[in-house]
Amino acid sequence: MYKNNNNSNGSNSANGGVNENLKKMVEITIAKATAFIKEFYYPLYDTERLEVLNLYKDPSISIWNGTECQGLEKIRNLLSEIPKSSHTIETFDCQPVQSFPNILPEDIDNPNILITVTGKVLYGTVSTHNFHQTFLLVKDPSNPQSLFISYDCIRLTS
Amino acid sequence: MSGRGGRIIKKRGGRGGGGGGRAQSNPNRNRFNVFVNRSNNNNNHVDDSYQRICISNLPSTTDRNDLMDFLKNKAYKPMLNFKGSEYKNSRFYFSVEKPEDIPSLVSLSGVRYGGVKVFIAKEDKSSFSQNRVVQNTAPRANNRKIESMKQQQFTSNKQMKLLEDHIDTNYTKSTVPELVDFSYLYTTKEIDFNDLKTIRQLFRLVSEKCKKATTISFTHNSITSLSPFKAMMTHSLDNIINFNFDSNKIANLSELDNLLDLSLRELVFTNNPITNIPNYRMEVARKFPDLQYLDGKEITAEDFPPSPIPPLRSNFCDSAERQQFAYKFLEKYFTAFDKNRSDIITAYFDNSKFSITYTQDGSSNPTRGSTKTYQRFNRNLKKQADIVKKTQLLFDGYDQIYNFFKLYPTTSHYLASSVIDTFLAPGSQYLNVVIHGHYLETVFKTKRSFDRVFILAPAQAGSEAAKNGWEAVILNEQLHVRPYVRFPRLEQQNGAIAAAPAVPDAQTQETLAQQLSIVTSLKPEFAKECLANNQWDLNTALENFKSLKEQNQIPPTCFN
């Protein structure tokens, strides 16, 4: 459905050679990812850390620099263990994650979302690092219009 | 056992280490010789009977006679006569018969000859020794520019010569081939070690002439910036592992980032302001995971105060089997990516998604090399862009994705030194692989760090991917490219799952068994068994062997 985009960087047609369905899905994905990053995850993480728990569900996993925490209880422990933080976001990106193989029609209005974020993080008062964090946001079966964190995976890269 | 190369040799007394006795002999002599020989004058003194003009910005292939005629006409001086010419240091020198003709020639400076703007000045012989080539006849902006241009060129040639002489006298004849010493050259020979050109020349000379060197000493040189030292990357100077910067003016930790491309064993910054920075030792040790000595003191656990954060661990996986699967995929993928990139196309399908983000370091030139490509396709959503652009930068399907990778620089990835997390998203069959590593751009010789996320699904039997030997197909991929920085020191994973790295191939198994057998005198078959029981990790195997031996748990029949 989203194929036939042969003029890959197409700029001749009025919409820039972009498939309308894809464009719509990108628009929705970006709006949700932006809100997640700027209004929820990082502001909460840096100020009211445990509120972040509301963004996970029980099967969720959080992987902190090679250590996995599965389930709300373990994620809560992890969140409590990490000292006060201050994140500065430098880049972020997101992609709709589609079902595979491509049999079912895509849920254009509410796709799952892959998010990657990079930036700087200060833990406590002296420990500054670069970080890279990956999130997969997936549909909440009990409330199909909302998403929750299926997993997040963070690495300090300096 | 000492590692590669000796330790930094401590400062020698006074200036002996660097200055050298011949510092004050006339460093310009060799320049004059060219000139003197041409005018058949055997004195070391310059005594050309004609004054000369100097014309810059033209290639040596320029027709001199035509150029002379052109200048005569332009200056409206039909009686003007040139008496000989010379091409030297990218400039023409024309001897002028009558000195009174020189001002009208010099006033032509800036004229176009064959479409090229040429600069003309009077040669001032007396000023050679004062580093000034041109004396202004008129305080014109152009002339000032030329002067500074020439002065730079002159200084640079002079420094090159000085450096070469220095290496020839102090290194080539030295009995310590491991050490190249450039100490005190700022004070004794005015060599500017903060200048990129100088450092470039220096490293070129070192790579040509000091092949055995492991240590370079730059003490007492008023160095404030290490950014010229990035130039080392363009020469293969991997043998240099110790740097001595004692008694310089390095003040910022960020200066050290210019050395991050190097695997260093020892650094010395004593008598630099940088050593007063709080947590200085810790910060340096963190930046250089290979570093063993700093300022003459070994780096130990004390240099890493208790961290406020939980430990950083190496590769995570939720199942050893899936980890193997992921490694196998990555191995095939990156081999193709580096060596035969068109092969990766079949690892994607119709609806695969790919995008790239990029962070730049302050010093890299945005118009140079691959930086332009990264910037052009950078989909950083933090920045404002219209939705069409954002959609275009999400490459959709194998065609678009491969078209992008055609523009990507040629690379050489170091998979073995990567950190790779492998796990299933809860409740799904999608394998998520997050890899942090670095690659070398083989053309531009630039190292980059990257973070790359793959969401993989098993390749369907009969699919294009499966036919091409891919066990998985890429659903989503996000690539982040950033300046090269070493990954922080990691603690090794413990626990059953993590301790199941790839089983080495038969040949490696044999080699390991042989090594263990030599150290322990175990019979080869028992050495092999011991290794197999310890995940083929030689050190673990050896440790367990030792403790078992101490408890007399190994029957004598196991030994040779």
Side-chain angles (χ1 to χ4, degrees):
Chain A
M1 252 181 118
Y2 307 127
K3 257 218 105 197
N4 311 328
N5 244 352
N6 286 336
N7 47 344
S8 46
N9 285 323
S11 49
N12 357 1
S13 59
N15 60 4
V18 161
N19 177 301
E20 282 303 321
N21 278 344
L22 180 63
K23 193 176 109 187
K24 191 177 166 199
M25 191 156 66
V26 165
E27 206 162 6
I28 292 168
T29 313
I30 291 177
K32 290 189 180 185
T34 308
F36 173 78
I37 289 166
K38 292 193 174 166
E39 290 159 36
F40 291 94
Y41 187 83
Y42 291 104
L44 291 175
Y45 200 99
D46 290 346
T47 54
E48 299 165 79
R49 177 78 52 81
L50 288 179
E51 290 290 306
V52 169
L53 263 188
N54 297 331
L55 305 172
Y56 294 90
K57 289 226 138 203
D58 221 16
S60 304
I61 54 176
S62 179
I63 303 167
W64 199 86
N65 289 289
T67 305
E68 180 198 38
C69 302
Q70 172 142 35
L72 292 178
E73 202 43 49
K74 284 184 182 161
I75 296 175
R76 178 197 295 274
N77 293 343
L78 173 71
L79 291 173
S80 321
E81 199 184 334
I82 293 166
K84 183 157 176 52
S85 59
S86 169
H87 289 82
T88 312
I89 292 160
E90 287 170 355
T91 71
F92 81 90
D93 195 5
C94 69
Q95 300 178 1
V97 179
Q98 296 168 260
S99 58
F100 177 85
N102 193 25
I103 301 163
L104 300 167
E106 294 308 326
D107 187 352
I108 291 172
D109 294 326
N110 196 22
N112 296 336
I113 306 175
L114 174 73
I115 301 177
T116 52
V117 185
T118 70
K120 292 204 159 39
V121 59
L122 170 72
Y123 292 115
T125 48
V126 286
S127 187
T128 308
H129 305 267
N130 290 330
F131 76 94
H132 178 273
Q133 192 161 17
T134 314
F135 299 90
L136 183 67
L137 305 187
V138 299
K139 276 185 279 284
D140 185 343
S142 59
N143 177 7
Q145 278 316 298
S146 77
L147 298 166
F148 72 94
I149 303 173
S150 166
Y151 72 77
D152 81 277
C153 178
I154 188 170
R155 279 277 175 192
L156 302 184
T157 57
S158 76
Chain B
M1 245 187 286
S2 71
R4 229 166 17 121
R7 295 270 321 275
I8 287 176
I9 293 160
K10 275 289 156 194
K11 277 181 288 180
R12 302 194 211 137
R15 296 185 163 189
R22 35 170 284 139
Q24 294 315 316
S25 66
N26 184 357
N28 299 316
R29 180 162 298 173
N30 290 328
R31 274 181 65 85
F32 285 114
N33 285 344
V34 184
F35 183 69
V36 165
N37 291 342
R38 280 193 55 84
S39 54
N40 294 324
N41 188 332
N42 288 326
N43 288 332
N44 278 345
H45 226 291
V46 183
D47 186 21
D48 192 348
S49 43
Y50 298 112
Q51 297 199 16
R52 305 204 302 179
I53 56 164
C54 158
I55 302 152
S56 47
N57 222 16
L58 288 172
S60 60
T61 50
T62 309
D63 180 340
R64 299 176 188 202
N65 291 329
D66 184 66
L67 178 59
M68 288 177 188
D69 286 342
F70 171 84
L71 292 173
K72 267 195 222 181
N73 288 334
K74 273 281 169 193
Y76 300 107
K77 297 264 180 190
M79 302 306 285
L80 189 154
N81 273 322
F82 291 108
K83 297 280 185 184
S85 64
E86 184 186 4
Y87 188 81
K88 191 172 73 176
N89 298 329
S90 316
R91 283 190 287 274
F92 280 105
Y93 293 85
F94 289 169
S95 303
V96 183
E97 189 185 35
K98 288 175 293 211
E100 60 268 29
D101 287 337
I102 285 182
S104 51
L105 287 167
V106 168
S107 68
L108 292 176
S109 187
V111 72
R112 285 189 176 275
Y113 174 73
V116 181
K117 213 172 198 180
V118 297
F119 299 104
I120 304 165
K122 183 183 169 193
E123 182 190 40
D124 180 6
K125 290 157 198 159
S126 65
S127 66
F128 265 111
S129 50
Q130 298 157 25
N131 284 4
R132 279 170 44 239
V133 178
V134 182
Q135 198 161 52
N136 270 341
T137 43
R140 284 174 43 184
N142 244 352
N143 278 351
R144 250 180 273 131
K145 214 194 281 168
I146 301 164
E147 181 174 354
S148 81
M149 222 168 71
K150 283 183 186 154
Q151 192 170 328
Q152 267 172 23
Q153 172 92 34
F154 180 76
T155 313
S156 148
N157 286 342
K158 180 186 150 200
Q159 296 207 340
M160 174 83 175
K161 188 82 196 89
L162 286 172
L163 285 170
E164 201 163 356
D165 284 354
H166 177 78
I167 291 176
D168 288 343
T169 35
N170 291 280
Y171 176 78
T172 314
K173 291 171 194 156
S174 154
T175 52
V176 194
E178 292 81 22
L179 171 73
V180 206
D181 194 345
F182 295 105
S183 300
Y184 289 102
L185 290 187
Y186 174 72
T187 32
T188 58
K189 297 190 183 175
E190 292 180 28
I191 290 180
D192 181 6
F193 287 91
N194 292 304
D195 176 54
L196 174 62
K197 263 190 194 153
T198 308
I199 299 292
R200 258 199 208 136
Q201 287 171 344
L202 183 144
F203 284 135
R204 193 175 59 73
L205 289 170
V206 169
S207 70
E208 283 167 9
K209 297 188 177 226
C210 317
K211 298 202 189 299
K212 285 187 183 161
T214 55
T215 298
I216 302 196
S217 185
F218 291 101
T219 73
H220 299 270
N221 276 319
S222 286
I223 296 172
T224 53
S225 166
L226 293 177
S227 67
F229 285 78
K230 269 197 149 177
M232 270 190 85
M233 259 310 281
T234 48
H235 301 287
S236 37
L237 286 165
D238 291 344
N239 48 321
I240 313 277
I241 50 174
N242 309 313
F243 279 86
N244 190 350
F245 290 106
D246 172 70
S247 300
N248 280 288
K249 296 175 178 169
I250 300 157
N252 290 319
L253 281 169
S254 61
E255 290 297 337
L256 302 187
D257 293 346
N258 296 299
L259 303 178
L260 290 179
D261 280 340
L262 312 167
S263 293
L264 296 175
R265 183 165 177 273
E266 175 163 10
L267 278 171
V268 175
F269 291 109
T270 43
N271 303 309
N272 279 271
I274 195 173
T275 54
N276 301 326
I277 291 173
N279 300 318
Y280 154 76
R281 281 187 70 85
M282 182 191 80
E283 296 289 345
V284 178
R286 240 174 61 176
K287 278 178 194 284
F288 300 96
D290 310 301
L291 200 67
Q292 292 170 31
Y293 296 91
L294 177 60
D295 300 339
K297 255 179 69 190
E298 196 171 348
I299 289 173
T300 61
E302 279 171 37
D303 295 311
F304 298 94
S307 170
I309 51 178
L312 312 183
R313 300 217 160 95
S314 65
N315 308 337
F316 167 75
C317 71
D318 57 1
S319 121
E321 202 182 311
R322 279 194 286 273
Q323 192 180 40
Q324 299 279 332
F325 180 89
Y327 286 4
K328 207 171 149 196
F329 174 84
L330 293 176
E331 184 76 43
K332 181 173 162 69
Y333 182 86
F334 284 108
T335 306
F337 196 90
D338 289 345
K339 299 203 175 105
N340 202 356
R341 198 168 292 169
S342 62
D343 285 356
I344 63 165
I345 194 166
T346 48
Y348 299 89
F349 77 118
D350 291 359
N351 275 332
S352 299
K353 301 281 186 286
F354 170 87
S355 56
I356 176 172
T357 48
Y358 170 65
T359 33
Q360 194 185 348
D361 62 351
S363 62
S364 67
N365 184 339
T367 58
R368 200 171 277 175
S370 53
T371 306
K372 224 172 165 179
T373 311
Y374 301 134
Q375 247 165 8
R376 191 172 146 210
F377 297 99
N378 181 5
R379 195 178 183 246
N380 183 4
L381 298 173
K382 200 189 160 192
K383 292 190 179 149
Q384 294 296 319
D386 67 65
I387 190 67
V388 171
K389 179 95 184 152
K390 285 173 179 169
T391 310
Q392 283 170 339
L393 288 178
L394 178 64
F395 300 106
D396 182 31
Y398 56 84
D399 262 352
Q400 290 187 9
I401 295 171
Y402 180 61
N403 280 338
F404 167 73
F405 281 129
K406 277 198 256 182
L407 303 173
Y408 204 78
T410 48
T411 51
S412 175
H413 283 78
Y414 301 85
L415 208 53
S417 59
S418 304
V419 174
I420 306 166
D421 295 326
T422 318
F423 52 94
L424 287 183
S428 84
Q429 282 310 302
Y430 297 157
L431 187 59
N432 294 266
V433 184
V434 186
I435 164 167
H436 308 271
H438 70 276
Y439 58 78
L440 177 73
E441 291 175 0
T442 49
V443 177
F444 304 108
K445 298 272 178 269
T446 310
K447 268 190 202 170
R448 308 270 185 186
S449 286
F450 69 89
D451 314 281
R452 203 159 176 163
V453 183
F454 293 94
I455 301 184
L456 304 176
Q460 305 284 299
S463 67
E464 207 49 36
K467 274 188 235 160
N468 284 280
W470 300 103
E471 292 182 21
V473 60
I474 300 166
L475 304 188
N476 289 75
E477 180 184 351
Q478 208 286 337
L479 168 61
H480 181 70
V481 178
R482 53 191 165 87
Y484 176 66
V485 181
R486 282 180 175 272
F487 215 73
R489 291 179 201 238
L490 300 176
E491 285 181 20
Q492 286 308 304
Q493 286 279 7
N494 36 33
I497 294 174
V503 174
D505 59 72
Q507 200 191 332
T508 317
Q509 288 185 11
E510 285 304 330
T511 319
L512 285 169
Q514 230 170 43
Q515 286 174 347
L516 187 67
S517 168
I518 290 167
V519 186
T520 59
S521 306
L522 277 173
K523 283 181 180 163
E525 63 268 33
F526 291 108
K528 218 167 168 179
E529 195 186 325
C530 177
L531 280 160
N533 290 337
N534 289 288
Q535 289 79 41
W536 294 95
D537 183 336
L538 191 58
N539 290 330
T540 324
L542 195 57
E543 262 177 47
N544 283 336
F545 164 81
K546 279 181 186 159
S547 76
L548 286 173
K549 197 183 169 197
E550 266 171 28
Q551 300 159 30
N552 282 326
Q553 300 240 348
I554 304 174
T557 49
C558 294
F559 292 94
N560 279 326

